[in-house]
Amino acid sequence: MSELELRYVITVHRDESVRHCIQQMRSYGLGCVVVVDKKNILEGKFTERLLIPLLLSGKSLDEPVAKHMSTDWGAVSTEDPIVKVIEQMESKKLRFVIVVNSKGQPVGLTGQKGVAEYIAEHFPRRVKVQESQATKIFLDHREGA
Amino acid sequence: MRRRRRSVDDSEFQDPLKNYETPAYNGDLDRSLMEGKIRDIKITPFTAVLPETTIQDALKEMCDSSIACLLIAREGKLLGIFSVRDVLHRVVENYDRIMNDPISDVMTPNPTAVYRTDSPAKALNLMADSGFRHLPILNVDEKVVGILGPRRVTSYLRDFLPD
């Protein structure tokens, strides 16, 4: 896990509103906030995916996040191998995995994109040199030989 | 009259593959990135709706199908993509006002797509470097045949990762 670049983890308390969580996710460009108790121990998570049933139900965004959070999360330790992240994502069909320290406190966030970036970083000759979309547009429109 | 046999000049023919070296791969993961094909990866089932579908109906479709991403297409031709990230950034705070508007108003038009014959490295490049989370998959006729998410790619490559 030490080789994986972790993302910032947004933590909120259970009585914060869903609207506050949305604002946090938008400002940090993340799709997940982690709900913690007063000792900073994990209680749940709220992801952008949970917004859909919330909107369809017609409930207010000002309700506390505790009412809508998921208590089924994936967590790995900072000492775990990267394969464990993939296992957690596969077995629980998760997009985000929370990285915790020895006290169970969240220290970072990783997931599908983190693993994809890890592989890309380690095989730059294969991944980084791929034709980008911008290049494709250029090639499609170039003139001459 | 007998023709004179033309002498063969060795310098006339140059084997274009003379200096070709087969690629040296640094392990199975390296090889699978280049030699694998997107068609080898178990792709995510996709759901497509018409561009005039209302935002509310599109969300119901995503909820009922438990999917994070919806394709917008007409007669197999890809027109746009709409994901949970779009719900967060374009829909959630205006939902009551726009729920009956067409999904085409909030979709990302002309999304980047990959072909079935592209390599996993190409998909990873688009996901890791360009930041596209879901990639529609097209066949040679430019028709949508599936969608590729990062979990499928990492699951495919998992077997090649060291423990």
Side-chain angles (χ1 to χ4, degrees):
Chain A
M1 284 298 301
S2 57
E3 292 181 38
L4 212 57
E5 193 173 330
L6 301 183
R7 280 179 165 66
Y8 178 74
V9 60
I10 308 168
T11 55
V12 295
H13 292 291
R14 57 184 300 116
D15 51 351
E16 305 256 33
S17 70
V18 171
R19 193 181 300 279
H20 172 74
C21 297
I22 291 167
Q23 286 162 353
Q24 291 290 301
M25 288 192 283
R26 287 170 68 155
S27 61
Y28 284 94
L30 290 169
C32 175
V33 295
V34 173
V35 184
V36 292
D37 66 12
K38 287 176 183 172
K39 291 181 180 173
N40 203 26
I41 303 296
L42 282 174
E43 281 196 317
K45 66 167 187 181
F46 183 81
T47 67
E48 56 196 355
R49 196 163 183 164
L50 294 172
L51 288 171
I52 296 177
L54 177 62
L55 289 176
L56 291 173
S57 70
K59 289 181 180 165
S60 168
L61 299 180
D62 294 315
E63 288 192 357
V65 68
K67 274 191 168 183
H68 302 284
M69 69 183 186
S70 163
T71 51
D72 184 21
W73 66 79
V76 294
S77 150
T78 48
E79 307 300 317
D80 285 331
I82 291 168
V83 169
K84 189 162 179 189
V85 176
I86 301 174
E87 284 171 358
Q88 289 268 332
M89 290 191 301
E90 281 180 9
S91 62
K92 298 186 177 182
K93 295 190 174 178
L94 299 172
R95 238 180 57 209
F96 301 100
V97 176
I98 303 160
V99 183
V100 295
N101 62 17
S102 56
K103 295 176 185 170
Q105 297 166 327
V107 293
L109 201 65
T110 189
Q112 296 167 0
K113 195 160 186 291
V115 175
E117 284 170 354
Y118 168 80
I119 296 171
E121 286 296 324
H122 281 71
F123 294 92
R125 285 174 55 214
R126 306 296 176 212
V127 178
K128 300 279 185 184
V129 297
Q130 293 294 312
E131 175 190 298
S132 71
Q133 192 66 5
T135 311
K136 186 176 186 305
I137 291 165
F138 169 73
L139 291 172
D140 286 346
H141 292 86
R142 71 176 182 177
E143 294 176 351
Chain B
M1 183 178 165
R2 287 184 66 186
R3 279 187 185 175
R4 285 180 60 192
R5 190 174 177 186
R6 196 172 151 213
S7 62
V8 178
D9 184 354
D10 287 344
S11 64
E12 279 184 10
F13 175 74
Q14 290 189 343
D15 184 355
L17 299 177
K18 187 178 170 187
N19 295 320
Y20 176 75
E21 290 178 16
T22 51
Y25 293 113
N26 185 19
D28 291 341
L29 178 56
D30 196 16
R31 177 184 292 274
S32 67
L33 279 170
M34 286 309 287
E35 294 193 351
K37 298 284 178 230
I38 284 174
R39 63 173 178 239
D40 302 331
I41 302 173
K42 187 182 173 191
I43 59 175
T44 311
F46 76 100
T47 303
V49 297
L50 293 167
E52 52 268 27
T53 307
T54 66
I55 292 170
Q56 185 181 34
D57 287 344
L59 293 188
K60 279 180 188 166
E61 190 68 54
M62 291 171 83
C63 195
D64 293 345
S65 307
S66 291
I67 52 173
C69 184
L70 199 60
L71 298 180
I72 292 84
R74 191 186 299 280
E75 294 174 2
K77 181 174 167 38
L78 181 65
L79 300 172
I81 194 166
F82 180 78
S83 73
V84 287
R85 187 54 57 99
D86 296 316
V87 176
L88 177 67
H89 286 280
R90 298 176 185 169
V91 172
V92 68
E93 290 188 332
N94 308 309
Y95 181 67
D96 290 340
R97 184 170 54 81
I98 63 172
M99 59 197 287
N100 293 314
D101 290 353
I103 192 72
S104 55
D105 284 2
V106 287
M107 71 181 187
T108 301
N110 306 314
T112 298
V114 290
Y115 292 91
R116 293 177 74 237
T117 48
D118 282 333
S119 66
K122 171 85 180 274
L124 264 183
N125 173 266
L126 290 167
M127 288 175 181
D129 272 11
S130 304
F132 297 108
R133 198 177 301 154
H134 294 93
L135 295 168
I137 305 169
L138 306 179
N139 65 13
V140 289
D141 299 321
E142 305 281 325
K143 301 275 185 184
V144 185
V145 292
I147 192 163
L148 189 63
R151 191 166 63 221
R152 300 289 183 180
V153 179
T154 50
S155 295
Y156 167 76
L157 295 173
R158 180 191 183 284
D159 293 339
F160 307 107
L161 277 172
D163 288 330

